[in-house]
């Protein structure tokens, strides 16, 4: 595992941080590609071996990040949706593989409500395909969707709920939606990360839980998230750097600050989080609906 | 099964209807007790044999109905909560039996949101008992809670979700909360029915699903519901009786009217349903919290 | 005023009803135009004189109705939004006239929440234009938006709130959004009516209130609504016609039925009202945002 | 005005901070009383002259703070409600004075939704008293309630909406409910402050606006708030003090940190903010309903 305690769920931010701290320009086992569009940028981080995985404390796999410049005033939302759809189709091997969409998070706390908002927008087909023959075309993909809630409200590990429901639904793919943490304030509500690795809910806001992956669900897991919060310790440390001009020991001090702060219990989020979550959840559910 | 197609989920209303149609004052296999309080009345319907069960198309068991005179201006809400708690304790055999509360219905449609509102108010303990020893007293009852959603939004049979989750949680009791249908407009939002029999979601608003009972969950099932809708056909038929003075063929005509109406797809509910659901969901979650 | 007690807020339905009852093919003072598109139809009812106004109990003015065939599975939502935008621009005389959007209805009751959902989606500009010069282009239209709530929750006449706020905002146009009533079940959540006449909240679900028009607000009022409920008496009467084959006295009987039913206090709405309201509120707020 | 830039809306916290910074045990013009109850404590800060007002940058008047030890597991919620009612009655001179409750804040962002949640729980009477004589007792207090929304969503200054609506409603008292900011994490969701002075929305989360007071509304204004957020700069500074053991220049450094942080745009709030807001809004609306 990496020596760094990362304060972000975004693979590309972790790569940047690792390079700065270790004064490297490349990491063995990590390939990066960037593609620019008019209003957004796509960064593809490929973690290809254990060295890369260990460096950024992420599993071997693909991490694609969409970064929108001005998400609230984007003109061509369709282009983002289409590109996101293309990446989803790259990760799903067939036009007919069944999918279960899982919306993580606490729907009653605005910045943690991404998952449930996306699920609300999904056009499910499974019950129609099972119960009423002939209504939908035979090539319609089987799609189901659940919101398991958070452990603080259910008393049950979220991963256990997902694993037990996936046993009866038997989807080939699970697309897990979650609110993430970024270290950059300007990326909150403005980035989307897709990856073909599992997820451990609670990296973001949700709380401690065990892993959702191929082993626990018997399905291939695609994770799709938007940073909705930033880490308090990052903000603290950045503020300090600005007033003290002492950047050398920044990482060390970060660890100290993080240790004194009860960061696990707090959320730091922009005031316009309600608008950001509406826009990004709409983009995600539309792009998933496009592949049905 | 009864010859009557009942337009109500309330056992006491079914008993009344059966008696009127069959011109009987008693039904073999059905005992009734009433208790009056200042602001509410409790009716206990005991279905004791197959004849009774078949007459009202309900399983053998107990059906207790609370009926409040003026639910929006009730003075002593505590008395209702306490009495409801007493009945819950009668149906649950031990102080330590574990409970899973299941909120049925579609939280995004006001009259169908009772289940999710009750679940939101439940103090769950299971995760605290499992993960952190010593915080809660050893006698604390294990309580968990889920909202499985509705098939139209999940693509999955609600009963399947409940049965798969109950396999990992293993509760001794499941308390299922649902919006019900009454044939009486004045009982909407003003009555609470508790029973120790299972439930088939979809009697009320939720949609067609299979049974939630001991067989499907391995737990004893207690059903708790509030009528939040009335049947369109009842209203139609009642209106007609008033303008035509022809009550003899009322039941026969009801069947005809019901057949012409697409009643499965519609909800008839009072305009102040938002207030009614706040009050009754609060009463129910508080009474459940009292037994933890 | 018309002799008919209309059970619909839709001008085109009233025209049809008037013609059937009076056995006429044309009404003096009412012109009708229809335009068909792939997935929807637009009907324009022009009420040109007092005779027409009295016949359908609507003010002199334009009533444009969009009717979508299959609103939940519409492919080209953009076309509806664009056409709706064109009609809005026909009713608003200048590119720079200021607008206040008013979302009527009770946001806590699903079928009555259209107004507040549309307002949530509006990009307001007034505060930015007033407070921070240079951020928005000088040609940006001034847009503000309020949700006055319903009298049952505020204790205040909705029209009074709107008239007092419009005195400080001074918009040239007010666009009022409301849930309407239709007599046709298949139009619920599937039609949009725009008109350049005022509105009296409470025709739909909202409750009795006085008029919102040029006199009460000093602004020109555009009304935009979607039927979200159907009248119980219509359903009752239609059901009856089917079982009794006696259509001649249908209108007379309707009045009798309506008189026996406490229709003012009830809502009849489809079970999938949550989906219908999401789609139509999105179409409306997007079309309003297009003209900013 | 005070030299200190206070990072809290709570009068008692400001008094403490002023005393520490100026090394004083008493402030001329500020009297303090404390009363302890089993599960909560009430602190009354009386600002009696301009010196006191200037010291803590608050108007002359009374500031009463309820502080609950363990708000999520409080046993005797009734006692808090009753005591809060008593204080409200102290500030309102007559049993019949009319009241308008104003819920400030953005209902779509959880920690800012206190005002709208309280308003939802208020039993309004004004429309019943005006429209239907004889239903309510003649001594019923006239109560109305509005949620003006936030400027970012309406485009209109909140104080302007309130002042224009109060001109038509003419209440003798306005009770303004708002989410506040505290400098202490443990007070978030656990304290209630009532005062008989006006309020400037935006101290908490709401955004910059002008004053709501006797001058702008022609009514006496009572403010009632619960801290739902903490200041990022406070957390940063506290964290720093812990790692650097340098408390002397703490206040000076706070100003520097606050200057570097874009604190206006962020919210720091506990993860269980949804539960905290349910409990406190319920306590407040019940205590207001007790005086009707």
């Amino acid at each position: 595992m990496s020596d760094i305690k990362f304060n972000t769920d975004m693979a590309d931010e972790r790569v940047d941080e690792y390079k700065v701290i270790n004064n490297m320009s490349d990491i063995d086992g990590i390939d990066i590609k960037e593609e620019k569009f008019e209003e957004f940028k796509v960064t593809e981080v490929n973690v290809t071996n254990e060295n890369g995985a260990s460096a950024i404390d992420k599993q071997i796999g693909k991490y694609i990040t969409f970064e929108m410049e001005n998400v609230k005033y984007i003109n061509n939302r369709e282009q983002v949706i289409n590109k996101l759809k293309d990446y989803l189709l790259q990760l799903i091997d067939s036009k007919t593989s069944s999918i279960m969409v899982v919306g993580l998070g606490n729907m009653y706390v605005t910045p943690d409500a991404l998952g449930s908002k996306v699920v609300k927008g999904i056009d499910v087909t499974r019950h129609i395909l099972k119960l009423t023959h002939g209504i939908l075309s035979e090539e319609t993909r089987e799609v189901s969707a659940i919101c398991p809630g958070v452990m603080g409200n259910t008393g049950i590990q979220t991963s256990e709920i997902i694993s037990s429901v996936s046993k009866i639904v038997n989807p080939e793919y699970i697309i897990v939606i979650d609110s993430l943490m970024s270290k950059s304030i300007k990326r909150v509500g403005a980035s989307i990360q897709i990856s073909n690795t599992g997820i451990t809910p609670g990296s973001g806001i949700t709380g401690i839980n065990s892993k959702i992956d191929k082993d626990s669900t018997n399905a291939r897991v695609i994770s799709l998230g938007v940073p909705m919060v930033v880490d308090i310790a990052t903000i603290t440390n950045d503020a300090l750097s600005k007033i003290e001009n002492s950047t050398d020991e920044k990482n060390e001090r970060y660890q100290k600050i993080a240790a004194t702060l009860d960061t696990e219990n707090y959320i730091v989020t922009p005031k316009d989080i309600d608008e950001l979550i509406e826009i990004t959840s709409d983009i995600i559910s539309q792009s998933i609906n496009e592949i049905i």
Side-chain angles (χ1 to χ4, degrees), chain A:
Chain A
M1 215 178 82
S2 180
D3 291 342
I4 309 170
K5 189 184 170 297
F6 288 107
N7 47 339
T8 172
D9 298 314
M10 312 301 283
D12 60 342
E13 293 184 357
R14 291 192 178 190
V15 170
D16 290 346
E17 198 167 336
Y18 188 90
K19 287 180 179 172
V20 167
I21 288 173
N22 294 286
N23 203 12
M24 288 166 136
S25 59
D26 279 302
I27 308 172
D28 169 47
I30 293 185
D31 296 335
I32 292 183
K33 266 197 298 192
E34 266 191 31
E35 199 178 354
K36 288 201 176 165
F37 299 86
E38 218 177 316
E39 296 181 294
F40 63 100
K41 187 177 89 175
V42 179
T43 307
E44 212 177 308
V45 173
N46 275 290
V47 179
T48 55
N49 67 24
E50 280 304 333
N51 183 65
S54 158
I56 64 166
D57 200 9
K58 289 261 183 196
Q59 300 198 332
I60 291 173
K62 247 185 209 185
Y63 301 85
I64 298 136
T65 308
F66 279 62
E67 194 170 348
M68 290 162 279
E69 261 166 64
N70 196 341
V71 73
K72 281 165 77 172
Y73 300 99
I74 206 159
N75 292 307
N76 196 345
R77 201 187 279 199
E78 288 307 312
Q79 201 185 17
V80 184
I81 292 168
N82 267 314
K83 200 72 205 160
L84 193 55
K85 180 200 76 181
D86 291 346
Y87 276 103
L88 280 172
L89 286 178
Q90 271 186 31
L91 302 182
I92 293 174
D93 61 357
S94 126
K95 278 185 73 169
T96 55
S97 313
S98 58
I99 293 174
M100 180 164 84
V101 181
V102 175
L104 297 179
N106 182 348
M107 68 172 61
Y108 300 112
V109 175
T110 312
D112 205 19
L114 180 79
S116 62
K117 281 193 183 281
V118 169
V119 160
K120 204 180 160 195
I122 296 296
D123 298 334
V124 298
T125 59
R126 184 178 176 272
H127 60 308
I128 306 175
L129 292 167
K130 296 262 171 199
L131 299 179
T132 51
H133 295 283
I135 285 191
L136 293 176
S137 134
E138 300 228 344
E139 286 147 38
T140 309
R141 193 192 288 278
E142 183 192 301
V143 179
S144 57
I146 57 161
C147 287
V150 291
M151 195 167 61
N153 294 343
T154 62
I156 310 167
Q157 288 247 7
T158 305
S159 56
E160 283 185 303
I161 296 180
I162 296 165
S163 124
S164 70
V165 174
S166 74
K167 261 171 214 143
I168 55 165
V169 173
N170 268 320
E172 288 161 88
Y173 286 88
I174 290 180
I175 302 181
V176 177
I177 318 291
D178 203 6
S179 296
L180 304 177
M181 180 181 286
S182 168
K183 67 171 190 177
S184 159
I185 281 173
K186 76 182 180 45
R187 290 187 120 195
V188 169
S191 308
I192 301 169
Q193 178 175 273
I194 326 164
S195 86
N196 61 354
T197 63
I199 191 172
T200 304
S203 331
I205 311 176
T206 311
I208 297 148
N209 269 290
S210 53
K211 200 139 184 27
I212 299 158
D213 59 9
K214 180 86 186 170
D215 288 344
S216 68
T217 63
N218 207 27
R220 283 200 259 171
V221 178
I222 294 171
S223 307
L224 225 157
V226 174
M228 289 295 173
V229 294
V230 277
D231 176 42
I232 301 187
T234 305
I235 294 177
T236 300
N237 205 24
D238 289 352
L240 220 57
S241 305
K242 283 181 195 153
I243 61 168
E244 297 193 346
N245 303 311
S246 61
T247 47
D248 353 335
E249 295 153 11
K250 199 179 157 191
N251 189 57
E252 191 192 336
R253 191 183 54 206
Y254 171 80
Q255 306 297 340
K256 285 187 194 161
I257 294 174
T260 69
L261 286 168
D262 189 14
T263 55
E264 306 264 298
N265 296 319
Y266 288 86
I267 298 168
V268 184
T269 196
K271 282 196 182 169
D272 57 355
I273 188 70
D274 56 329
E275 290 176 69
L276 298 172
I277 214 161
E278 287 299 325
I279 297 165
T280 50
S281 66
D282 180 65
I283 289 172
I284 296 172
S285 37
Q286 283 198 45
S287 68
I288 295 176
N289 288 340
E290 290 283 329
I291 66 169
I292 294 173

